[in-house]
Amino acid sequence: MDPIFDLAIIGGGINGCGIARDAAGRGNSVFLCEMNDLASGTSSWSTKLVHGGLRYLEYYEFRLVREALIEREILWQIAPHIIRPLRFVLPHHAGLRPAWLLRLGLFLYDHIGGRHLLPPTRSVDLTRDEVGKPLIKNRYVKGFEYSDCFVDDARLVVLTARDAADRGAEICTRTRAVEIRQADGLWTVTVEDRGSGARRTVRARALVNAGGPWVEEVLASGAGVNARAKVRLVQGSHIVVKKLYDHDRAYIFQNADGRIVFVIPYQNDFSLIGTTDRDYDGDPAKVKATEEEISYLCASVSEYLAKPVKPEDVVWTYSGVRPLYDDGASEAKAATRDYVFELDTPGGVPLLSIYGGKITTYRRLAEEALERLAPYLRSATPREDKAREGWTGKSPLPGGDMDVSAVDALAAELVRDYPFLLKAHASRLAHAYGTRATKVLGDAKSIGDLGKSFGATLTESEVRYLMANEWALTAEDIVWRRSKLGLRMSAAEISALDEWIVAHGLSGERPLREAGGRP
């Protein structure tokens, strides 16, 4: 008979994977299923920030901002290869928020979150400082520069899942939960492999619904729960254009409608612009940036930049649906970004549904989720008691076992050890895989030893590593979620990669066992 898991989790976004990692590290047996690829929903379509959320102060979300500010440095320290500090320039816009209010907000931002490593806010003379040069001359003279962090969001999810699997969790991608029911004091989840159609039944003492935009659909699949909470689907779209300026700072621009828009240095040669906030009605899997949103983002940043951004400048767009808790706010921009739990115990068996949340606070969300479920899980051992003391904030994610300032040194080390690597290639590998980059490169003595080249420094060795260790099954998984090399690869190159995967019989493989998942 199949084993009984302590915890079954539906949803392979940042919340589901974060809970899986924490629970597995506490000694619980964990099963997680994701109907598509990891991070294929909301978690890979963010603004790529680990941040406190400066604008949330306007909505008096002080607890959320403080928690997020504390988490910034914790996450940076456990994943310094995929998270890096980023300075943001906030120009004062006459007629919008007054300078004294901006200064007060940034004072709070600097001090309520226990900032230790990131540099503090400074005032900026935009007529003299280099960060003023890309702006419309003489329109913006005063500004502020403050700290937050950039994150590769999809890799954060995958590495969190990788660590969960290394600790014994079973991670099943392309596996849909088709039916949920109770039997003999347990949750029984019927899951279906979307490739083969094969079904299996998983039994667990507790169930977590981390379905994101599909959280209500999960409940409708037979859980026997009438949810009290409601999800509010909010669409957020982003555009990517060729690099707009030479310095390494980001901008946060205020709009007359009360929203803010970021311009962020992206993948060395590009600028990322976002995001929008609009209620969404429809299938979350079919969301895409509209012409209206693209025009809005272009117009918003062109209010500030000396060289206007036009829709024809856009090289890529992406859009995601945020599953926010419906707190009754009149506008999408005002809806809370805090997370809300709904714990139901039909028949005495716990089901925890998650509404909302931010990438920045996923680790704390996981801790709180397990605190809610603790009475229903197995009794704690001394090891588990110790693990409860915030272990996930002290143990690095895979490849992150280095000092926060050591990533560039690691890239230089890769060039020394693998002298055939170009510096840009070595830097990309260091920032994607950290100390595990050598697992991608192996014993290679030449670029030819890495196998077939697919373009944009992507090699057969890296593809095989991603498929064996990070649940990648398609070219899309590889070039848009495990990396962003799709920005540099042609459609023909991406198609050739998919054809190679199929030709080598890899597209149907399940990397779980090879990747260290539970047998």
Side-chain angles (χ1 to χ4, degrees):
M1 182 175 288
D2 290 336
I4 298 173
F5 291 91
D6 293 318
L7 189 62
I9 302 168
I10 299 173
I14 191 60
N15 290 337
C17 292
I19 293 170
R21 179 190 185 225
D22 198 343
R26 299 184 191 214
N28 294 295
S29 56
V30 177
F31 172 88
L32 181 147
C33 65
E34 161 56 46
M35 64 179 177
N36 297 308
D37 183 28
L38 296 172
S40 57
T42 306
S43 295
S44 62
W45 306 127
S46 77
T47 313
K48 323 298 182 192
L49 299 180
V50 169
H51 68 136
L54 181 61
R55 74 181 184 89
Y56 305 151
L57 291 173
E58 289 188 307
Y59 299 102
Y60 308 109
E61 300 244 28
F62 297 113
R63 187 209 62 78
L64 172 64
V65 174
R66 182 175 186 276
E67 181 175 275
L69 288 170
I70 292 171
E71 286 297 298
R72 283 183 314 183
E73 294 191 358
I74 293 174
L75 297 183
W76 179 26
Q77 290 179 90
I78 67 171
H81 49 324
I82 60 169
I83 297 175
R84 59 178 171 81
L86 186 61
R87 294 287 281 176
F88 287 79
V89 177
L90 170 58
H92 170 247
H93 188 306
L96 297 181
R97 298 169 181 89
W100 68 263
L101 183 61
L102 299 180
R103 191 178 293 109
L104 174 60
L106 288 167
F107 176 83
L108 290 172
Y109 208 68
D110 268 352
H111 292 90
I112 66 174
R115 178 186 53 79
H116 299 294
L117 301 175
L118 295 169
T121 296
R122 72 179 182 102
S123 296
V124 180
D125 181 346
L126 296 175
T127 64
R128 296 172 178 268
D129 196 284
E130 67 169 340
V131 298
K133 292 180 180 178
L135 305 180
I136 296 173
K137 192 172 183 180
N138 299 324
R139 181 179 291 184
Y140 305 100
V141 298
K142 180 187 297 184
F144 304 93
E145 186 178 288
Y146 68 94
S147 293
D148 266 323
C149 291
F150 177 88
V151 62
D152 186 327
D153 51 6
R155 290 207 59 73
L156 180 66
V157 176
V158 170
L159 294 181
T160 300
R162 177 67 270 158
D163 199 51
D166 289 345
R167 297 173 188 275
E170 181 173 348
I171 309 293
C172 291
T173 62
R174 268 81 177 192
T175 302
R176 187 186 187 101
V178 295
E179 184 183 24
I180 303 168
R181 57 187 175 84
Q182 296 178 56
D184 302 322
L186 299 169
W187 283 110
T188 300
V189 183
T190 301
V191 298
E192 181 180 88
D193 185 301
R194 298 189 69 183
S196 67
R199 292 190 173 191
R200 64 180 282 203
T201 299
V202 174
R203 297 182 298 162
R205 296 179 176 88
L207 179 64
V208 170
N209 174 8
W214 294 272
V215 63
E216 292 179 347
E217 289 186 25
V218 171
L219 293 177
S221 59
V225 171
N226 293 317
R228 297 177 299 278
K230 295 294 181 183
V231 66
R232 181 172 187 168
L233 300 182
V234 174
Q235 177 176 355
S237 296
H238 297 75
I239 60 176
V240 175
V241 299
K242 290 292 180 66
K243 190 175 182 179
L244 294 173
Y245 47 83
D246 292 330
H247 65 74
D248 61 356
R249 264 63 57 88
Y251 290 95
I252 173 173
F253 293 148
Q254 306 174 73
N255 288 344
D257 62 4
R259 296 213 70 258
I260 55 95
V261 171
F262 293 105
V263 180
I264 301 169
Y266 191 59
Q267 298 295 314
N268 296 319
D269 301 318
F270 302 91
S271 294
L272 172 64
I273 300 171
T275 178
T276 59
D277 262 327
R278 54 189 290 171
D279 287 310
Y280 182 78
D281 182 20
D283 183 352
K286 296 180 179 179
V287 64
K288 64 178 183 178
T290 65
E291 290 184 9
E292 178 187 352
E293 288 179 298
I294 294 170
S295 296
Y296 170 85
L297 292 173
C298 290
S300 295
V301 299
S302 296
E303 175 75 14
Y304 288 83
L305 297 173
K307 183 181 179 181
V309 177
K310 302 175 183 178
E312 52 264 35
D313 298 327
V314 175
V315 298
W316 184 49
T317 70
Y318 65 86
S319 190
V321 176
R322 307 181 194 102
L324 305 182
Y325 172 68
D326 191 351
D327 60 355
S330 60
E331 295 181 276
K333 69 179 182 181
T336 182
R337 266 52 178 179
D338 209 348
Y339 52 84
V340 174
F341 297 114
E342 186 168 279
L343 179 62
D344 294 283
T345 55
V349 190
L351 166 60
L352 186 70
S353 296
I354 301 169
Y355 297 80
K358 289 161 44 69
I359 280 181
T360 308
T361 53
Y362 87 93
R363 196 193 65 83
R364 277 293 300 128
L365 180 151
E367 289 181 334
E368 189 172 337
L370 291 176
E371 288 168 12
R372 299 285 186 96
L373 292 172
Y376 305 96
L377 299 176
R378 292 181 297 173
S379 299
T381 66
R383 175 194 168 201
E384 292 166 38
D385 283 333
K386 184 178 181 181
R388 285 203 174 106
E389 298 172 6
W391 78 269
T392 56
K394 302 170 185 175
S395 180
L397 288 174
D401 47 338
M402 67 178 94
D403 186 81
V404 294
S405 61
V407 185
D408 289 338
L410 174 62
E413 187 177 319
L414 290 177
V415 171
R416 287 196 302 271
D417 294 343
Y418 301 89
F420 57 85
L421 287 180
L422 297 176
K423 288 184 178 180
H425 190 179
S427 178
R428 182 180 72 79
L429 294 177
H431 283 86
Y433 304 103
T435 57
R436 294 196 175 188
T438 53
K439 295 182 180 293
V440 175
L441 297 167
D443 298 324
K445 303 298 181 185
S446 69
I447 194 70
D449 290 342
L450 297 179
K452 181 177 175 61
S453 174
F454 297 100
T457 72
L458 181 66
T459 65
E460 178 181 336
S461 177
E462 185 173 1
V463 170
R464 289 186 179 277
Y465 175 87
L466 290 170
M467 300 190 80
N469 295 277
E470 295 192 4
W471 297 276
L473 288 179
T474 68
E476 181 183 348
D477 299 346
I478 292 166
V479 306
W480 291 117
R481 283 184 285 277
R482 304 309 183 277
S483 73
K484 290 296 182 289
L485 293 177
L487 285 168
R488 293 183 168 83
M489 296 176 69
S490 67
E493 287 174 326
I494 295 172
S495 293
L497 172 58
D498 253 334
E499 290 169 5
W500 182 89
I501 291 171
V502 172
H504 286 74
L506 299 176
S507 59
E509 283 190 0
R510 286 287 162 192
L512 300 179
R513 289 165 179 77
E514 186 177 353
R518 185 183 298 277

